[in-house]
Amino acid sequence: MTDRYAVIGNPISHSKSPLIHRMFAVQTGQDISYEAIEAPLDGFRDTLVRLRQEGYKGCNVTVPFKFEAFNAATDLTDRALAAEAVNTLSFNDGLTGGDNTDGAGLVRDIRHNLDMALENKRVLLVGAGGAASGVVLPLLEAGAQLFIVNRTPAKACELAARFASSAVQGGGYEAIGDAQFDVVINATSAGLSGSAIPLPETLFAAGALAYDMMYGRDTPFMAFARDNGAALVADGLGMLVEQAAEAFNIWRGVRPDTAELIATLRN
Ligand code: ATR
């Protein structure tokens, strides 16, 4: 019998998750279906109840429901607790497992696909909203020395303080000064409106990676990085595929190969 999965969001028509998971299924010989479901903005819980009744095995959750998914889960992983957001739900008997694979996807893309070590590296995380909070714990676990900056500095300080670790601090853009970083990650939504972020031009250390968690467009942050000496500039497509592979592995116990799919999607 085919096991059913879905991604829930609003809007959802743009989602690449069905394509990615169907390709993983073909590659690994897993008998699953995967579709995109648009839940009404006030109807996330009802949608979950329906999926459960219809025998779905799990779902991915995207904007704007990751916090509601966090609240709906009865069994949370450490990284979901740290993120206060869930992107992967598993329906097991009476329990709802909640995990967050975004940070693991980012870390794997940086280390494995972009071949950039994170251990003891100076990492600047720009932004302190939902996208940023999802990746802090996996970056710390990878050994990064993390500085979080945000337009609203208090949010960066609060996010850093949640981890009670000397390896993570927060502040406003002005706190960057003339410090240099090996990896700079844009986790703001500024690229959606085409806004530039006021970062210092001296930001990038020799050999630095600039990483935008957004994909599908060249953002002002990526252009800024190219103009100011970043050795490598990446968008978030690899992270998208890697977070999906991590979710697939949670559900099916098989890790798909991602390299070929990333290349296919890029073309
Ligand atoms: P997401 O889930 O995409 O992270 P969010 O939780 O609303 O969305 O967070 C958006 C992030 O982008 C925040 O860090 C926000 O900064 P503020 O906390 O100061 O609002 C940041 N952001 C959005 N537009 C921005 C802009 N034009 N310049 C700089 N930062 C911006």
Side-chain angles (χ1 to χ4, degrees):
M1 231 182 62
T2 304
D3 287 338
R4 300 173 77 183
Y5 298 89
V7 57
I8 308 176
N10 186 331
I12 200 64
S13 57
H14 65 282
S15 175
K16 290 197 193 313
S17 292
L19 173 70
I20 294 170
H21 281 276
R22 287 171 198 161
M23 289 178 87
F24 285 164
V26 170
Q27 185 203 108
T28 58
Q30 295 281 311
D31 184 12
I32 69 158
S33 68
Y34 191 108
E35 76 222 65
I37 295 175
E38 184 168 284
L41 290 175
D42 61 353
F44 178 71
R45 283 274 184 162
D46 290 347
T47 304
L48 278 192
V49 169
R50 175 173 74 79
L51 295 194
R52 224 179 221 302
Q53 279 168 353
E54 292 178 5
Y56 282 72
K57 298 285 185 189
C59 62
N60 285 129
V61 180
T62 187
V63 177
F65 299 125
K66 289 185 186 183
F67 186 62
E68 280 188 73
F70 173 75
N71 285 325
T74 52
D75 189 17
L76 289 158
T77 61
D78 286 348
R79 58 193 186 185
L81 281 165
E84 295 181 0
V86 156
N87 76 338
T88 305
L89 289 170
S90 306
F91 305 138
N92 311 311
D93 302 324
L95 290 177
T96 303
D99 202 345
N100 189 315
T101 65
D102 287 330
L106 172 71
V107 165
R108 188 167 165 93
D109 194 35
I110 292 175
R111 288 212 288 214
H112 191 79
N113 302 331
L114 300 169
D115 203 20
M116 174 74 78
L118 285 167
E119 181 130 38
N120 293 320
K121 291 296 162 82
R122 298 160 294 178
V123 177
L124 183 72
L125 181 62
V126 186
S133 70
V135 302
V136 175
L137 183 65
L139 285 169
L140 288 175
E141 286 177 345
Q145 295 291 321
L146 201 57
F147 194 59
I148 307 172
V149 287
N150 195 42
R151 180 175 61 181
T152 311
K155 278 171 68 181
C157 296
E158 280 161 27
L159 179 54
R162 256 165 51 192
F163 295 87
S165 159
S166 59
V168 55
Q169 292 181 320
Y173 294 137
E174 79 294 340
I176 298 171
D178 56 6
Q180 293 202 310
F181 294 87
D182 305 299
V183 179
V184 180
I185 301 166
N186 180 22
T188 74
S189 51
L192 282 177
S193 57
S195 312
I197 305 164
L199 296 170
E201 291 172 0
T202 49
L203 188 63
F204 298 99
L209 163 68
Y211 194 102
D212 201 315
M213 283 169 57
M214 203 163 276
Y215 66 90
R217 71 179 82 195
D218 207 60
T219 63
F221 168 76
M222 293 166 75
F224 170 84
R226 259 182 230 111
D227 290 347
N228 290 286
L232 194 60
V233 178
D235 71 3
L237 184 70
M239 174 180 174
L240 174 78
V241 174
E242 295 295 349
Q243 64 76 28
E246 185 79 10
F248 193 91
N249 189 30
I250 290 166
W251 291 328
R252 309 305 297 179
V254 191
R255 174 167 278 286
D257 177 42
T258 49
E260 202 182 317
L261 181 50
I262 292 171
T264 306
L265 289 174
R266 223 173 257 303
N267 296 325

